[in-house]
Amino acid sequence: NFTRYNDFGFDFGGPILHNKLWFYSAYDDAYNGQNIAGFVTQATNAPAVYPIGLRIETLKLSWQLTAKMKLEAMDQVSTKAAPFRNGSSIIPLEATQNQETTTSLGPVLKWTYIMTPKMTTDFGFERAGYWWPTVAHTSDPRIVDLTTGETRGAYLASYSRPIRWQWNGSWSWFTDLAGKSNEIKTGFLGWWDKTYNYNSGYPNQELYDYQSTAADITGCTGITCNYFGRPKQVVTYDYP
């Protein structure tokens, strides 16, 4: 069930120069907090709220260069905060992924030209990408019970930053062919991608696996069970 939910949106725009330059701006802010069955704070075993927040900021400019030619520029930045991502009845707050992702759609540039009443062309150039740091809530070693999936300790720290530059154009001609109205259209699309990933890993570059038995967890509930009394194996990593 929700502990709190809100979604606010605002926008504002208008002319800067009469019949020449216009602007549009918008801001959206959404939040929802939920109670997930069994999701607790390990330190106190008290129920924890699972929150997600989203902010979106948009700005657009339109410039009428001539009566037949227009230039548009836009940028939109979104920020998503999910401080306890992956939290569940078997993953307490301290063992979750602390995520705050920033996504950018822009800058976007578009040029439009009305060549004749029946012929138009346009060209566009834009950038898109996001920044995704993952930060642990604790420095405790990562431990997992293979029987139940119960997990404790620091989440694997990482950082991702993919980028795409894209360019496109089109040409349209509206004409009559064989007594029918038709549109003849052609265009192109190209892009360049780059992806950057960095993994810092778990504390000590190790993951400790345990294997509990039915006797270890019979009659107990939640994080009070003895999930981590029987060592199974150690998985080692070589990050970064």
Side-chain angles (χ1 to χ4, degrees):
N1 64 320
F2 288 104
T3 59
R4 178 166 67 89
Y5 175 84
N6 56 256
D7 190 351
F8 303 104
F10 310 91
D11 66 331
F12 179 67
I16 300 175
L17 296 175
H18 182 63
N19 287 341
K20 277 289 183 181
L21 184 63
W22 297 262
F23 82 98
Y24 173 78
S25 61
Y27 177 76
D28 293 274
D29 192 316
Y31 170 91
N32 72 72
Q34 302 180 60
N35 283 325
I36 298 177
F39 180 51
V40 300
T41 301
Q42 183 180 339
T44 62
N45 201 29
V49 175
Y50 187 91
I52 295 178
L54 181 63
R55 300 190 305 273
I56 304 175
E57 303 168 17
T58 305
L59 178 62
K60 181 180 180 181
L61 296 173
S62 299
W63 184 15
Q64 194 72 37
L65 299 169
T66 68
K68 296 183 178 182
M69 197 179 300
K70 181 172 67 172
L71 184 65
E72 297 171 282
M74 191 273 288
D75 196 12
Q76 184 178 82
V77 178
S78 305
T79 303
K80 179 183 178 181
F84 310 132
R85 195 169 186 257
N86 302 115
S88 68
S89 60
I90 60 175
I91 304 178
L93 180 150
E94 290 85 349
T96 59
Q97 177 186 27
N98 185 2
Q99 174 202 4
E100 183 158 343
T101 307
T102 301
T103 303
S104 176
L105 177 59
V108 176
L109 296 175
K110 183 179 180 181
W111 176 78
T112 304
Y113 178 37
I114 302 174
M115 305 169 71
T116 72
K118 292 189 176 183
M119 189 180 298
T120 64
T121 187
D122 63 76
F123 295 95
F125 185 74
E126 63 188 55
R127 179 195 184 281
Y130 63 82
W131 298 261
W132 183 351
T134 297
V135 182
H137 290 283
T138 178
S139 59
D140 293 342
R142 189 74 165 181
I143 58 176
V144 177
D145 175 34
L146 299 177
T147 302
T148 63
E150 292 281 343
T151 304
R152 307 288 185 269
Y155 197 92
L156 185 146
S158 64
Y159 175 72
S160 297
R161 190 187 67 188
I163 300 170
R164 167 172 286 195
W165 290 96
Q166 181 172 297
W167 48 94
N168 57 81
S170 67
W171 171 83
S172 297
W173 179 32
F174 298 88
T175 187
D176 292 334
L177 294 174
K180 302 291 184 178
S181 296
N182 291 269
E183 178 188 5
I184 300 174
K185 188 171 185 177
T186 187
F188 66 89
L189 171 67
W191 64 84
W192 176 88
D193 288 320
K194 175 184 178 181
T195 299
Y196 175 81
N197 294 300
Y198 182 87
N199 289 315
S200 303
Y202 295 117
N204 306 319
Q205 300 295 342
E206 294 176 333
L207 170 65
Y208 305 112
D209 287 331
Y210 293 77
Q211 189 105 53
S212 65
T213 66
D216 297 325
I217 57 179
T218 299
C220 66
T221 58
I223 64 173
T224 60
C225 294
N226 184 27
Y227 300 112
F228 307 105
R230 300 178 186 273
K232 173 70 173 179
Q233 62 190 15
V234 177
V235 182
T236 61
Y237 296 85
D238 192 20
Y239 293 132

